Every structure is written in structure tokens, then in C-alpha cells.
Amino acid sequence: MSYEIPERSPLDEAAQDQRYADFLAYFSADCDRLHAYIYSLLPHHADADDVFQRCSLLLWKKFDTFDQQRDFLSWACGVAFYEVKNFLRTAQRDRLQFSETLLDLLAEQRSDDLSQVPDHLAALRLCVKKLTEHQQQLVWKAYGGATTVADLAAATGRSAQTLYNQLATIRRKLAQCVQMRLTAAGEDA
């Protein structure tokens, strides 16, 4: 028994290509904020990454239902919220679980904060560039990958407490820099 694969017309392919381009434009503009939203609802970074991946696929599958007159990020956060709830419901391996009430509260508060994220991220990026090369590498290794501070300390031959102290100093410096940039931007507006 053989099956014939129906041929797609050039119009179907063009429509599909346009749909894909539209999705990528929306998704790439908001993927960092969507990931931050998911991360704010889950206690473990690895879990947030897993849910973000599942959510990304789900958003693509459901993109036909997205009303392009609405805000993509709000729609995506709504989808992500239910993915997080589903994950928490099925992830019985963790002892630490957010209650449904707390999750609702965090989601609501985080949605309100999302409008400020682009300004904060832009300021943070500029402030990170002001750090020394050594400080930038330390930040990247500590926060940008799957390495723990303890593993990083072992690899560099320094104590974990020394690295924690250096990171705390860098975080304070970055927080002050970001605050100054945001304050200056607010005065210019």
C-alpha cells in the first residue's frame, strides 16, 4: 500500500513562509522577556529553561489562534502561565512547590513589571560593558551557563566564598549603574 504525499502549491508555501516570518518577528522581539517571566514563576533555572522550550513550541503550534491586533507578549505570557501550572502539577519530584495562590500573584506582578524590562536590560547591557574583562568573564561564567559557583571555584583554584564576594560587589556596582542610567533617562524624558 502506498501513500501519496499531497503536493503543496506555491501559494501554500508562501503563506506558510509568511506565517513563519511573522512568528519569528514577534517571538524574537519578546523571547527574553518571556523567558524572564517564566523564570520568575519557577524556583529552578533548569525547570524554567525546560518550560520555556515547551512553551516556545506551543506558541508556534498555536500561532494561528493569535490575534495580531493584540500584544504578543501578553498572549505568550498567558500561554506560558498555563505551561508553568502544568509543569508544577506534574513535577512532583521537587519538595519546594509554589502554591496556586502564590503563582497567580507572582504572574500578575511579573506581568506588570514586563513593561519596564526593555529599559532595564538595555541599561544593564551598557553597564556590563563598563566592567573589566575579568569581571565580565566572571559574571558570564557564574550566571550565563550551567556551572555552579562551587564548580567555578574549583576550576579557578579560588574559594567559593571569594567568588561569592566578588559577584556581590559586581552586582552592587551593576545595580548602581543601572539605577543611575534609568534615573538619567527619566530626567531626559
Side-chain angles (χ1 to χ4, degrees):
M1 181 182 253
S2 67
Y3 294 99
E4 285 189 36
I5 299 173
E7 289 193 32
R8 292 175 53 188
S9 74
L11 291 177
D12 290 343
E13 288 181 25
Q16 184 66 13
D17 289 347
Q18 184 59 49
R19 178 178 175 254
Y20 184 67
D22 290 345
F23 175 77
L24 282 181
Y26 284 113
F27 186 77
S28 61
D30 290 323
C31 68
D32 289 339
R33 290 187 288 170
L34 178 63
H35 188 270
Y37 172 77
I38 293 169
Y39 185 64
S40 72
L41 301 177
L42 291 170
H44 301 291
H45 191 69
D47 293 341
D49 288 343
D50 289 345
V51 171
F52 176 74
Q53 291 299 322
R54 278 189 255 151
C55 186
S56 300
L57 290 172
L58 188 57
L59 290 171
W60 168 244
K61 289 178 183 176
K62 292 182 170 233
F63 188 64
D64 286 336
T65 67
F66 171 61
D67 176 5
Q68 294 189 14
Q69 302 302 314
R70 295 185 58 221
D71 179 48
F72 179 80
L73 183 60
S74 296
W75 175 73
C77 285
V79 172
F81 175 73
Y82 288 104
E83 273 301 295
V84 167
K85 286 179 81 166
N86 185 45
F87 175 82
L88 291 174
R89 196 173 20 258
T90 58
Q92 297 299 322
R93 68 183 185 278
D94 288 336
R95 287 180 278 147
L96 176 62
Q97 297 277 331
F98 289 158
S99 72
E100 189 111 357
T101 305
L102 178 59
L103 185 62
D104 289 342
L105 180 64
L106 287 172
E108 182 180 317
Q109 181 179 359
R110 187 64 183 139
S111 292
D112 294 341
D113 293 342
L114 284 175
S115 62
Q116 300 172 2
V117 170
D119 296 337
H120 283 79
L121 285 177
L124 180 60
R125 284 186 183 111
L126 291 171
C127 292
V128 167
K129 288 180 182 179
K130 289 182 159 188
L131 295 174
T132 67
E133 182 68 27
H134 172 74
Q135 289 172 327
Q136 288 180 28
Q137 288 177 1
L138 180 59
V139 167
W140 175 250
K141 288 176 183 174
Y143 300 117
T147 305
T148 65
V149 173
D151 291 340
L152 186 57
T156 60
R158 293 193 243 155
S159 75
Q161 188 59 50
T162 299
L163 291 181
Y164 280 120
N165 292 343
Q166 288 178 339
L167 289 167
T169 301
I170 292 169
R171 280 194 309 268
R172 278 192 301 275
K173 185 177 182 179
L174 288 172
Q176 290 171 347
C177 178
V178 167
Q179 188 59 45
M180 286 180 9
R181 286 193 168 278
L182 292 174
T183 301
E187 291 171 1
D188 292 341

